[in-house]
């Protein structure tokens, strides 16, 4: 007996859309055996073909792979309002218009699935939503941008400059011709907004996520920090702190024992922390047409296998001001080579309540510098110490500070 069709309307037929259609054709028989229905693409919309009205009217589910805000937003809302399931890989849309989309899904009892929007094929959304639905997630942190992870890994491996490695990443296809949103942290911030919303059941959007990128990172900082056993990553961190939440993206040094320290190249990884589960790290390829298409198809199969889904009510979180969040820091100071320099710097740090964990002196004469790692301190106190230090006449260049993640996990 042949399985009844499950009709998929496909919006967008570019890198991911065309890979999705191919994969769906390859896997349709196996999915029919598993679910009792055979998925098929019954309509495709691009700029030059198809009509959204006709596609949505005859589809059992819509897959949105256009990207960007409009017209993807309008089509997504109209799909959900029609009570039909929507699968999307669109991080911009979810991170900027999540409230509206989730409200439409709840109001109309429609499924909204978006595994491919964060960390490519790494199934972090499904794990949070299903496997850890009973866990109170305290913290989600991870490497959610493969381009920057490739660049930082290569800088550490070769000692080459940021600009040289970026060019190589572009030649190899790991960075776009315009890499701005990858390297400035905005892409990672959009993904962290999506993860934080799900982890904390809280209305988090891109606007609530301060982000810093890797454009100012220098090879010598990566090199000096190796002496402290530190590895540099662009991290997204979403955590509950002091009754509020903090969601941020910044370059950070990790100690070698941290589960994210060994994630190299274009890979992504996300660590989930909760008292009930301790910590779990998921990692895998972060992007690419076939990988993303596979995550999208997984969502389509979930839609086919599940009659509906409960979407958690969303609360308005209190976002902690950045200066109240505690962080440890690496600090690189180009200083004059004369007695008393370290004492002067230590005096300013002590005044602001910043305590030094380790310090090394590098170079002599015009190359003299102090490289230090601080204990965790409120970021506001550290910034105010930094302001004072930059005014000292012993400084030969502005100070360079990079956060350090203190946690280490052993075996
Ligand atoms: N590429 C990846 O590795 C990757 C990874 C993770 C997530 N994603 C996400 O997946 C989504 C798709 O990305 P992609 O790389 O496949 O994009 P893409 O190659 O640029 O393809 C976009 C598709 O959307 C169509 N489109 C654009 N504007 C349209 C409009 N106004 N009306 C109808 N169709 C329109 C395009 O039509 P034409 O064919 O007529 O131009 C094209 O078929 C995005 O949300 C992206 O963020 C991509």
């Amino acid at each position: 007996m042949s399985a009844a069709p499950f009709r998929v309307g496909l919006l967008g037929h570019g890198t991911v859309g065309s890979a999705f259609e191919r994969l769906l054709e390859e896997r349709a028989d196996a999915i029919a055996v598993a679910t009792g229905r055979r998925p098929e693409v019954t309509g495709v919309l691009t700029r030059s073909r198809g009509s959204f009205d006709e596609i949505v009217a005859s589809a059992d589910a819509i897959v949105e792979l256009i990207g960007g805000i409009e017209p993807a937003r309008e089509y997504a809302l109209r799909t959900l309002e029609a009570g039909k399931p929507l699968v999307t890989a669109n991080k911009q849309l979810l991170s900027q218009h999540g409230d509206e989309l989730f409200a439409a899904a709840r109001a109309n009892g429609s499924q909204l699935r978006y595994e491919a929007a964060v960390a490519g094929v790494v199934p972090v959304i499904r794990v949070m939503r299903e496997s850890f639905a009973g866990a109170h997630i305290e913290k989600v942190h991870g490497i959610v941008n493969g381009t920057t992870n490739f660049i930082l890994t290569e800088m550490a491996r070769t000692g080459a400059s940021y600009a040289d490695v970026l060019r190589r990443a572009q030649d190899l296809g790991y960075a776009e011709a315009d890499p701005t949103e990858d390297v400035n942290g905005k892409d990672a911030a959009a993904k962290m907004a999506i993860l934080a919303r799900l982890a904390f059941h809280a209305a988090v959007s891109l606007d609530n996520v301060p982000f810093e990128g890797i454009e100012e990172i220098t090879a010598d900082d990566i090199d000096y920090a190796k002496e402290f056993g530190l590895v540099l990553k662009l991290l997204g961190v979403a955590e509950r702190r002091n009754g509020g939440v903090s969601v941020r993206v910044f370059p950070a040094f990790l100690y070698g024992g941290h589960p994210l320290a060994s994630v190299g190249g274009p890979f992504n990884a996300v660590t989930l922390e909760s008292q009930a589960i301790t910590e779990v790290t998921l990692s895998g390829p972060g992007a690419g047409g076939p990988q993303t298409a596979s995550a999208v198809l997984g969502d389509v199969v979930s839609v086919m296998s599940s009659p509906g889904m409960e979407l958690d009510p969303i609360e308005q979180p209190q976002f902690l001001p950045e200066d109240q969040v505690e962080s440890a820091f690496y600090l690189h100071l180009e200083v004059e080579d004369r007695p008393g320099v370290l004492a002067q710097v230590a005096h300013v740090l002590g005044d602001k309540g910043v305590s030094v964990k380790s310090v090394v002196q590098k170079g002599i004469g015009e190359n003299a510098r102090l490289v230090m790692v601080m204990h965790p301190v409120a970021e506001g106190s550290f910034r105010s110490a930094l302001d004072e230090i930059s005014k000292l006449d012993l400084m030969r260049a502005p100070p360079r500070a990079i956060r350090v993640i203190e946690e280490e996990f052993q075996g």
Side-chain angles (χ1 to χ4, degrees):
M1 202 178 78
S2 67
F6 184 86
R7 298 160 301 172
V8 176
L10 178 57
L11 314 183
H13 202 254
T15 308
V16 183
S18 55
F20 169 76
E21 188 176 22
R22 271 195 305 278
L23 189 63
L24 185 139
E25 279 166 14
E26 274 169 39
R27 303 293 305 151
D29 288 341
I31 295 170
V33 170
T35 65
R37 295 184 74 179
R38 193 173 194 288
E40 56 187 62
V41 172
T42 48
V44 175
L45 183 77
T46 67
R47 274 178 283 224
S48 55
R49 68 165 156 149
S51 140
F52 175 75
D53 288 329
E54 286 172 18
I55 291 171
V56 76
S58 64
D60 295 311
I62 292 290
V63 169
E64 184 278 307
L65 295 170
I66 294 173
I69 305 297
E70 293 296 354
R73 173 180 159 275
E74 186 201 329
Y75 295 153
L77 286 171
R78 284 174 58 192
T79 301
L80 296 168
E81 283 159 5
K84 302 219 169 172
L86 176 75
V87 173
T88 178
N90 192 330
K91 59 191 168 259
Q92 286 101 338
L93 186 58
L94 288 161
S95 67
Q96 293 174 46
H97 295 276
D99 287 345
E100 187 176 32
L101 291 169
F102 286 99
R106 257 198 312 278
N108 296 283
S110 321
Q111 298 198 46
L112 171 54
R113 296 199 179 250
Y114 50 95
E115 186 68 69
V118 181
V121 79
V122 183
V124 60
I125 303 286
R126 186 170 282 101
V127 166
M128 272 206 271
R129 178 175 254 166
E130 294 173 16
S131 315
F132 295 163
H136 182 75
I137 294 177
E138 291 290 338
K139 181 169 176 178
V140 180
H141 53 161
I143 297 166
V144 291
N145 182 276
T147 303
T148 46
N149 204 46
F150 174 83
I151 293 172
L152 295 175
T153 307
E154 283 303 287
M155 285 176 76
R157 191 178 67 81
T158 63
S161 70
Y162 166 75
D164 285 348
V165 176
L166 173 58
R167 263 193 301 279
R168 222 168 88 69
Q170 285 169 320
D171 291 344
L172 292 169
Y174 290 129
E176 312 246 340
D178 177 3
T180 312
E181 294 201 353
D182 288 317
V183 299
N184 72 8
K186 187 173 179 185
D187 173 87
K191 293 166 179 169
M192 291 311 298
I194 295 170
L195 291 179
R197 169 184 289 273
L198 183 58
F200 307 145
H201 310 303
V204 182
S205 80
L206 179 60
D207 292 341
N208 307 121
V209 186
F211 56 88
E212 296 165 35
I214 64 163
E215 305 106 308
E216 308 293 326
I217 298 294
T218 59
D220 60 348
D221 282 326
I222 293 179
D223 203 37
Y224 292 148
K226 269 188 200 160
E227 293 183 29
F228 297 111
L230 296 168
V231 189
L232 191 65
K233 299 290 174 194
L234 183 71
L235 277 197
V237 180
E239 58 193 327
R240 300 181 195 266
R241 280 203 189 199
N242 311 331
V245 303
S246 161
V247 189
R248 307 189 295 162
V249 169
F250 47 80
F253 284 116
L254 303 174
Y255 285 96
H258 194 285
L260 300 176
S262 57
V263 177
F267 268 56
N268 279 199
V270 179
T271 296
L272 304 170
E273 288 180 40
S274 151
Q275 273 196 337
I277 59 170
T278 317
E279 57 100 16
V280 167
T281 300
L282 302 156
S283 70
Q291 289 84 354
T292 308
S294 164
V296 173
L297 184 57
D299 273 352
V300 170
V301 174
S302 294
V303 162
M304 293 170 68
S305 331
S306 139
M309 78 198 292
E310 286 299 311
L311 290 172
D312 294 310
I314 290 292
E315 290 167 20
Q316 287 301 326
Q318 194 199 342
F319 291 99
L320 293 186
E322 273 205 276
D323 60 1
Q324 286 176 22
V325 179
E326 281 206 346
S327 298
F329 281 90
Y330 157 100
L331 180 60
H332 179 162
L333 304 177
E334 294 183 39
V335 293
E336 284 181 6
D337 192 5
R338 58 174 159 82
V341 163
L342 181 56
Q344 255 182 286
V345 171
H347 181 75
V348 175
L349 291 170
D351 245 19
K352 303 288 180 189
V354 183
S355 86
V356 178
K357 180 177 179 183
S358 32
V359 56
V360 291
Q361 222 159 328
K362 292 269 164 198
I364 49 167
E366 291 200 345
N367 272 322
R369 49 200 73 209
L370 293 173
V371 181
M372 327 173 130
V373 176
M374 311 298 159
H375 285 292
V377 63
E379 291 203 2
S381 307
F382 181 76
R383 295 284 166 210
S384 109
L386 219 53
D387 273 357
E388 295 286 310
I389 288 172
S390 53
K391 288 181 208 145
L392 296 174
D393 60 4
L394 54 86
M395 293 293 295
R396 294 184 292 108
R400 281 155 33 194
I402 298 174
R403 291 178 188 81
V404 175
I405 303 297
E406 286 275 287
E407 296 160 76
E408 276 195 74
F409 299 88
Q410 307 294 346

